Amino acid sequence: MPIKTKIIVTGGLGFIGSHTAVELYFKGFEVIIVDDLSNSSIDVLKGLKNITKSNLIFEKIDLKNKKSVKELFEKHVDIKGIIHFAASKAVGESVQDPLKYYENNLISLINILQEVEKLKNSISFIFSSSCTVYGEANNLPITEKETIKKAESPYGNTKQIGEEIIEDFSNSSDSFKAISLRYFNPIGAHSSNEIGELPIGKPQNLVPFITQTAVGKYKELIVFGDNYPTSDGTCIRDYIHVVDLAKAHIKSLNRLLDNKNSSNYDVFNIGTGKGSSVLEVIKSFEKVSNQKLNYKIGSRRKGDIIEAYANTKKANSILNWEAKLSLDQAVNSAWKWQQKIQ
Ligand code: UD1
C-alpha cells in the first residue's frame, strides 16, 4: 500500500477544521487532528469517525504551550503539510480581551513555525484567514488586490499579522510554502448530518442565530439595521457552504504539495462571488424549512460592514476551485443539523 501523505489539522474539531478533515481523509491523506477543545467538543471526533468509518488520530494539545508543540512535531516528523485553523474567532470578545487573542492566535502560530523550521521535510502550510482583513472595501466584488486597512478588531488584526508572519517566514525558507485563504461567511453542515457548526453560548453569526431561533432557543432574531444603502436596506455578505470551503483547502494544499505554486506565498479569496442580504438569508431559511421565522428589525450593530462579497476569479483559475453549493443548500444543511442537535 502506498504511504499516505500526513497532514496536521490544527483546530480540527472546529467548524471548518472538522469539515476539512473529512475532505482530506477521502482524498487519501493521513489526518492528524490537533485541538485543545477550548471551543469545540470531543463529540465532533465521534461524528468524524462515523463519516470516515476510521479511527482518526487525535492529539489534544494546547498550541500555546511550546513544549507540547515540540513533542507533537517530534512525534510526527514525517508530516508534509499543516492546515492551521486553531484560533479564537469572536470579534466582540477580542475587543474586550485583546491579549487573549494576540496570545491564542499568534503565539500558537509562532510555536508551530519554530518547530517547522527544525523539520527536514518541505512543509506546505495553509492558513485560515478571513475577509475581515479587507474591512469596508473600496471596490466590490473584493479582489485579493484590495487594500488592507487597519483592522477593525484585535481578532481581525491577528489575521493580518498572522498572514504577515507566514509570508515573511516563507520568504526566509526554501522548504516552507504557504497559502492564506481569506474566507467570506462559512455556513452549513456536512451532508451526512454528523458534523456542523456548534457555537458555544449565544451565537453571534446570522445563520446559527436563525436556526436556534427557529427551534425556540431564542424568541426572535433581530435584523441589525434595514437602512443601509443596499437593495433592501440590510447588509450584504457572501455566504459559502462549509463543504465548498473545506474543498478549497485540499486544492490549495495539493497545489503546494505538487510544487505547482509560482511563489512561496500566495493568498486567495474563498467565497461564492454572490452577495446575499440578511433578508434574503431569512427568506432562504423560510423556504427550505417551510416555516416563518420570528424576526424584527433592530438597530445597526456597531462595526458591521455594509457589503462584502468576493471576486473569486483568482481561486477559480489558479486553484481550479469554485463554490458549487447554493445558499438554499447551505441553509438547508444548517437547518437539518440544528434539528438534530437542538
Ligand atoms: C462576522 C465577524 C467577522 C468574521 C465572520 C466569520 C463580526 C462583527 N464580524 O462577520 O469578523 O470573519 O463573522 O463568520 O462579528 N446579523 C443580524 N442579526 C444577527 C446576527 C447577524 O442581522 O443576530 C447580520 C449582521 O448584521 C450581518 C450579517 O447578519 O449583516 C452577517 O453577520 P455575521 O454572521 O455576524 O457575519 P459578519 O458580520 O460578516
Side-chain angles (χ1 to χ4, degrees), residues 3 52 196 252:
I3 298 169
T52 60
S252 307

Side-chain angles (χ1 to χ4, degrees), residues 265-297:
Y265 178 76
D266 212 346
V267 1
F268 295 93
N269 284 343
I270 304 295
T272 64
K274 188 178 172 293
S276 305
S277 72
V278 177
L279 292 177
E280 281 168 347
V281 178
I282 293 172
K283 273 195 208 103
S284 166
F285 172 78
E286 291 184 331
K287 183 171 122 196
V288 302
S289 67
N290 203 18
Q291 68 178 72
K292 286 275 164 221
L293 183 77
N294 198 17
Y295 71 89
K296 72 170 187 207
I297 309 295

Side-chain angles (χ1 to χ4, degrees), residues 221-227 296-301:
L221 169 92
I222 310 290
V223 174
F224 296 142
D226 72 344
N227 55 0
K296 72 170 187 207
I297 309 295
S299 47
R300 292 181 175 193
R301 177 170 71 179

Side-chain angles (χ1 to χ4, degrees), residues 22-162:
V22 170
E23 297 304 316
L24 278 171
Y25 175 84
F26 286 116
K27 287 285 179 209
F29 290 96
E30 183 174 351
V31 186
I32 319 284
I33 292 176
V34 175
D35 205 295
D36 68 355
L37 297 174
S38 64
N39 193 24
S40 59
S41 159
I42 194 67
D43 291 344
V44 176
L45 192 61
K46 272 190 232 146
L48 291 176
K49 288 179 178 172
N50 289 343
I51 297 172
T52 60
K53 312 262 185 302
S54 150
N55 270 329
L56 298 170
I57 302 166
F58 171 56
E59 306 274 8
K60 182 174 180 299
I61 282 172
D62 176 356
L63 295 164
K64 298 192 294 302
N65 184 319
K66 232 179 173 36
K67 190 164 162 278
S68 311
V69 178
K70 187 167 181 278
E71 285 164 5
L72 172 75
F73 281 85
E74 281 168 0
K75 192 166 162 192
H76 300 290
V77 276
D78 52 342
I79 57 156
K80 297 277 167 52
I82 301 166
I83 307 188
H84 181 48
F85 294 102
S88 300
K89 60 173 185 182
V91 176
E93 187 192 34
S94 81
V95 177
Q96 303 303 319
D97 194 354
L99 296 184
K100 173 180 168 184
Y101 274 68
Y102 289 113
E103 184 183 26
N104 272 356
N105 296 4
L106 298 178
I107 303 290
S108 49
L109 172 64
I110 292 169
N111 285 345
I112 293 170
L113 297 181
Q114 284 176 333
E115 290 310 314
V116 163
E117 210 166 24
K118 298 178 193 162
L119 296 173
K120 293 206 172 65
N121 283 340
S122 193
I123 295 294
S124 299
F125 191 93
I126 310 299
F127 180 58
S128 175
S129 189
S130 167
C131 67
T132 200
V133 301
Y134 299 117
E136 189 80 70
N138 296 327
N139 306 290
L140 287 165
I142 302 172
T143 71
E144 291 81 356
K145 293 207 172 81
E146 182 67 35
T147 322
I148 307 282
K149 299 193 198 106
K150 181 173 162 42
E152 306 242 357
S153 69
Y155 160 75
N157 205 22
T158 66
K159 291 297 173 191
Q160 290 187 2
I161 300 170

Side-chain angles (χ1 to χ4, degrees), residues 222-274:
I222 310 290
V223 174
F224 296 142
D226 72 344
N227 55 0
Y228 285 101
T230 61
S231 51
D232 63 20
T234 65
C235 293
I236 309 269
R237 296 287 184 278
D238 184 339
Y239 297 92
I240 174 166
H241 197 301
V242 66
V243 172
D244 274 331
L245 173 57
K247 288 181 173 160
H249 293 78
I250 319 301
K251 294 271 189 175
S252 307
L253 182 68
N254 277 331
R255 177 172 169 81
L256 298 181
L257 290 171
D258 297 344
N259 287 315
K260 296 218 173 90
N261 51 306
S262 50
S263 58
N264 258 4
Y265 178 76
D266 212 346
V267 1
F268 295 93
N269 284 343
I270 304 295
T272 64
K274 188 178 172 293

